[in-house]
Amino acid sequence: MNTNDDAAQKDTSVRAVEHKTNWVHPGVLPAFVLIVTCFAAWGISTDLTAPMVKIFSTVFDMSAFQSALVQFAYYGAYFLLAIPAAMINSRLGYKGGVSIGMGLAAIGAFLFFPAAKVMTFPTFLAALFILAGGLSIVETSANPFVMALGPEENATRRLNFAQAFNPIGSNIGVLMATLLVAPHIAPVPKDAVKGSPELLAKTANELSHVIVPYIALGIFYAALAIAIFAVKIPRNKELEETDHVGSVRQGVFGRLWHNGTYRFGVIAQFFNIAAQTCIWTYIPFYVSGPQSVLHMSTSAGTWWLQISLIFFLVMRFLMVWLMGRFDGRKLMVFMCGLGIVLTMVGIVSGTVFGALCMAALSGCISLLFPTIYGISLTGLGADTKYGSSGLVMAIIGGAIAPLVQGRLIDAAGVQVSFTFVVLCFAVVLSFGLYALKHQIGMNDQA
């Protein structure tokens, strides 16, 4: 037997095993670490924003529907900036998209300082819109970037791993709101005169505390933008392929529209983000305030949100481990079914146990975003950049859903309003069943 042939065959086998088991291509580990940090970074902003709905409703004395405009501005920016982000990626690559997005997010965060001086709700919405617009570009770029940094065989599981760091940022964001902002917010006195010096002084003091975490975020985002711009990435066709004339790839939108799996995936992502945003926005309403079930304090509401995000964090890493042993599509179906059951218990119960069930819903949504994302992009090839933008545009669900549930709260109460979350879980569950029935997606088992 030819020993050279044996050696070559052995070398080929070793490379095949390495290709299957390694999570990233050679030389891209520093870039991978920075991009994973971005997942945590936008988690801070997203879940610093969720408790701000309750805080702004107190500072500016607004209804639940009016204060939900915070989320509308935030997720509306995701919708409007997703296609421009795809164009940036086509022209400058994923690395350029992440750098530009982080820079714009830093500008938005710094704009909270002049907004606090103006002391009007619309100026805060404008700053939040710019901040979220930058993060829309980051997210449109970072999700496919992570998938392209390693072998295709474990791309969805790698994305789940990167997304697992998002709830770390989420917990930091809620903790910042809980410790730095919520203790300094008090309800507007019933006898307060609108425009009086006393009320203006109270608002100015409270808004001075609101801006602190955002200024810190601005510094962090600016540092990340510089680091990602400077990091070296080995040449790779999947990472560096760009369209230097910046034009939309011919026929891409038609191909995406006629792709049934992708189209259903965008719908599922819309309702996934709708459920996520409603859960995190209205858990504080469930436990605190005049319309709440448990009538706890404002700070207690943010602590309950913190508990919910701990569920999210723990379950994200658990799901990454489970995806090495079970089909991710089956896990998605099971967790959506569990989410429906827990939501119904919370609606019927109206007790501390019901609040715990509502908090546990974060565990049910923990694997949904990256799993829907991975299944939806299956087989898109060169259309992936624009396919990614469509899935990020689906985040508009986070802008619309809080308005819907806010109306339900004002009309029928907090408990009844969570029937909307049941609907969201049902849609995502249907997508999981569709992917299983048509054998679409992945089986990322180790």
Side-chain angles (χ1 to χ4, degrees):
M1 181 177 276
N2 192 320
T3 55
N4 288 334
D5 290 343
D6 290 344
Q9 186 176 3
K10 183 177 180 181
D11 183 59
T12 301
S13 300
V14 168
R15 284 201 304 267
V17 171
E18 288 177 345
H19 180 72
K20 184 176 180 181
T21 57
N22 286 350
W23 272 28
V24 294
H25 296 306
V28 302
L29 184 60
F32 181 71
V33 171
L34 282 173
I35 298 304
V36 168
T37 305
C38 288
F39 280 81
W42 80 62
I44 297 174
S45 176
T46 301
D47 294 289
L48 175 60
T49 302
M52 286 298 170
V53 175
K54 182 67 176 174
I55 287 168
F56 278 126
S57 71
T58 302
V59 172
F60 293 107
D61 193 22
M62 298 181 297
S63 68
F65 175 79
Q66 290 173 314
S67 58
L69 290 171
V70 173
Q71 297 290 40
F72 187 82
Y74 191 91
Y75 289 103
Y78 267 75
F79 178 81
L80 293 175
L81 271 292
I83 293 296
M87 294 177 178
I88 291 171
N89 289 335
S90 289
R91 188 173 183 86
L92 302 176
Y94 295 133
K95 175 182 167 182
V98 175
S99 300
I100 290 171
M102 272 300 169
L104 183 60
I107 292 171
F110 288 134
L111 285 176
F112 271 76
F113 181 78
K117 300 302 179 184
V118 176
M119 289 198 307
T120 61
F121 186 52
T123 56
F124 277 97
L125 292 183
L128 196 61
F129 183 87
I130 294 170
L131 167 63
L135 294 180
S136 172
I137 299 173
V138 173
E139 192 159 350
T140 304
S141 309
N143 284 300
F145 198 2
V146 163
M147 294 178 74
L149 282 172
E152 185 179 356
E153 287 80 1
N154 51 29
T156 300
R157 193 177 177 207
R158 183 168 54 255
L159 181 58
N160 265 277
F161 174 79
Q163 285 273 354
F165 287 84
N166 184 260
I168 294 176
S170 298
N171 277 274
I172 293 172
V174 174
L175 193 62
M176 290 169 75
T178 303
L179 298 180
L180 301 178
V181 182
H184 304 283
I185 308 299
V188 175
K190 292 182 179 180
D191 59 349
V193 178
K194 191 172 183 179
S196 66
E198 293 79 13
L199 188 56
L200 289 174
K202 172 184 178 297
T203 303
N205 177 63
E206 290 175 341
L207 292 180
S208 69
H209 289 94
V210 168
I211 67 171
V212 171
Y214 285 101
I215 297 301
L217 272 185
I219 296 170
F220 180 40
Y221 289 169
L224 264 180
I226 294 168
I228 291 165
F229 178 79
V231 71
K232 301 293 184 182
I233 300 177
R235 293 187 64 83
N236 178 292
K237 181 182 177 183
E238 209 172 9
L239 293 173
E240 300 299 328
E241 182 184 8
T242 58
D243 180 354
H244 293 289
V245 297
S247 62
V248 176
R249 191 179 294 274
Q250 187 176 9
V252 60
F253 294 122
R255 288 193 297 274
L256 291 174
W257 175 254
H258 289 98
N259 185 316
T261 301
Y262 175 77
R263 193 169 61 242
F264 197 173
V266 171
I267 295 170
Q269 200 68 284
F270 176 95
F271 282 97
N272 166 46
I273 299 300
Q276 174 182 299
T277 311
C278 285
I279 292 165
W280 293 347
T281 301
Y282 292 115
I283 279 179
F285 284 73
Y286 188 93
V287 300
S288 68
Q291 295 174 296
S292 70
V293 177
L294 303 181
H295 304 292
M296 295 182 178
S297 65
T298 300
S299 60
T302 55
W303 279 114
W304 271 93
L305 178 57
Q306 185 79 64
I307 292 169
S308 183
L309 290 171
I310 290 172
F311 274 108
F312 189 71
L313 172 62
V314 172
M315 291 299 290
R316 257 278 166 85
F317 283 101
L318 178 61
M319 288 299 156
V320 172
W321 178 77
L322 288 174
M323 286 185 72
R325 288 152 180 80
F326 302 100
D327 191 318
R329 297 165 298 184
K330 292 180 180 178
L331 287 173
M332 182 166 63
V333 169
F334 175 80
M335 296 308 291
C336 286
L338 179 61
I340 291 172
V341 172
L342 291 176
T343 308
M344 293 303 298
V345 172
I347 291 170
V348 173
S349 172
T351 63
V352 172
F353 179 71
L356 191 60
C357 288
M358 293 299 191
L361 292 177
S362 288
C364 298
I365 62 175
S366 62
L367 88 160
L368 300 187
F369 183 94
T371 306
I372 295 169
Y373 201 97
I375 294 171
S376 302
L377 294 182
T378 299
L380 292 189
D383 293 340
T384 298
K385 288 185 175 73
Y386 286 94
S388 173
S389 70
L391 288 163
V392 171
M393 288 177 74
I395 290 176
I396 191 69
I400 296 171
L403 299 177
V404 174
Q405 190 167 351
R407 279 294 191 198
L408 288 172
I409 289 174
D410 292 336
V414 176
Q415 286 170 266
V416 173
S417 75
F418 274 90
T419 54
F420 181 71
V421 174
V422 173
L423 170 65
C424 295
F425 275 120
V427 173
V428 181
L429 187 150
S430 299
F431 176 68
L433 292 175
Y434 173 89
L436 283 169
K437 178 181 178 181
H438 296 281
Q439 292 298 301
I440 300 164
M442 75 301 159
N443 190 355
D444 251 342
Q445 296 182 25

